Amino acid sequence: MDLIQQLLLLSEKLYQTLEIVEEDKGEKRDEQIELINKLLDARGQTIIKLEELGERPLQGHEKEAYLRDLHHGIIERLYSYKGRIREDIQQLQVSMKSETRYVNPYSHLQNLDGTYFDKRE
């Protein structure tokens, strides 16, 4: 298989995977991240092999514009996915904080009230 064709297939599969990931919210996230990482690694290796050829095999190729559009779409969806993960982490931290307050509602009021500090030695 031609390296450019392989890059095209990997890019399309990654783009479609990120499209499916956008629809699933929270379900099987670890498996999805693992699949995305595998596809990104394979795509990166293919790009490295293309760069080792010395010349620019994509320049002037009939699929160059399509690959560029796929690349920009992949980057856009990866940033979107990263943002959703960040939002989920922040939401989890807020819920953990509120759960802690529910367990001990006076934790934020605990201070050194009533204690005596002697400044003399």
Side-chain angles (χ1 to χ4, degrees):
M1 180 184 296
D2 183 42
L3 285 176
I4 295 174
Q5 188 67 25
Q6 185 179 0
L7 178 64
L8 183 65
L9 290 175
L10 286 169
S11 297
E12 286 175 343
K13 186 169 183 172
L14 181 60
Y15 188 80
Q16 291 170 354
T17 302
L18 288 168
E19 187 175 36
I20 293 169
V21 166
E22 258 186 48
E23 295 170 2
D24 293 340
K25 296 194 177 186
E27 299 295 322
K28 303 182 263 180
R29 181 173 277 169
D30 290 335
E31 296 170 9
Q32 292 170 344
I33 291 173
E34 194 172 314
L35 176 63
I36 290 169
N37 281 334
K38 285 181 184 177
L39 289 171
L40 284 171
D41 289 341
R43 188 171 176 258
Q45 291 299 320
T46 306
I47 291 172
I48 289 172
K49 288 178 186 175
L50 278 171
E51 288 175 348
E52 288 175 353
L53 294 176
E55 64 220 39
R56 294 180 173 237
L58 284 177
Q59 197 168 11
H61 195 273
E62 61 189 38
K63 301 283 186 176
E64 179 184 8
Y66 181 62
L67 275 169
R68 287 187 193 278
D69 291 341
L70 272 178
H71 178 72
H72 292 299
I74 288 169
I75 290 174
E76 196 174 285
R77 288 182 181 196
L78 282 173
Y79 278 125
S80 170
Y81 193 57
K82 178 184 171 186
R84 276 184 305 185
I85 290 173
R86 183 179 294 138
E87 288 172 5
D88 290 345
I89 290 172
Q90 288 174 347
Q91 186 178 17
L92 181 64
Q93 288 174 342
V94 167
S95 66
M96 287 174 57
K97 189 174 182 180
S98 65
E99 182 180 327
T100 304
R101 284 190 180 160
Y102 179 74
V103 171
N104 187 3
Y106 301 109
S107 64
H108 66 283
L109 296 175
Q110 292 177 352
N111 56 13
L112 301 173
D113 196 28
T115 56
Y116 174 73
F117 288 110
D118 190 9
K119 294 182 181 179
R120 290 183 256 158
E121 291 184 29

